[in-house]
Amino acid sequence: METHLITLTFQECNVRYGLAPAELHEFLQAGLLRAAPAPETVIVDEPDELPRLARLYHELSLPPEALDVILAMRQRLVRLQALLAHETARARQLENFLRGSGAVEEL
């Protein structure tokens, strides 16, 4: 899975997602975001992560520590779903092979 890094200023985060600089500093301290080399900027690893973070923060009023747990659980769930899809495809391929209707190939 390809990761796209996005660099945003605190001002852009405030305008786009309603996150004040103080909130962004809390997120940086909690490890939810990474500081970019330029002052007052952050690096976002996934394009959907910052909007999700802002939504959880605003709608549920969760502290940064709780947001960290939720985002970690979501990342684990995404990895498990990808693994399940891979294993399901592998099982389907083996079933087809046993029926004599396909070859076994590395997925």
Side-chain angles (χ1 to χ4, degrees):
M1 191 162 135
E2 190 175 328
T3 301
H4 300 280
L5 298 178
I6 300 171
T7 303
L8 296 170
T9 65
F10 280 24
Q11 170 114 15
E12 289 171 322
C13 291
N14 191 358
V15 170
R16 289 184 189 182
Y17 308 111
L19 296 170
E23 295 163 340
L24 291 168
H25 283 292
E26 282 184 54
F27 294 162
L28 286 167
Q29 289 177 343
L32 297 171
L33 297 173
R34 290 189 297 154
E40 300 294 306
T41 58
V42 294
I43 294 176
V44 180
D45 295 330
E46 296 181 34
D48 295 339
E49 192 163 316
L50 190 55
R52 183 176 294 112
L53 179 65
R55 190 176 65 249
L56 288 168
Y57 181 75
H58 290 301
E59 292 178 8
L60 301 178
S61 301
L62 296 173
E65 298 79 20
L67 296 173
D68 186 33
V69 171
I70 290 171
L71 293 176
M73 287 180 2
R74 183 188 177 283
Q75 288 173 348
R76 182 176 168 103
L77 178 62
V78 167
R79 284 193 305 271
L80 288 172
Q81 286 173 331
L83 181 60
L84 177 61
H86 175 78
E87 294 301 326
T88 301
R90 181 78 174 138
R92 190 174 300 118
Q93 185 184 59
L94 289 171
E95 288 171 355
N96 290 337
F97 174 74
L98 292 173
R99 289 188 192 115
S101 60
V104 176
E105 299 175 15
E106 230 10 79
L107 293 178

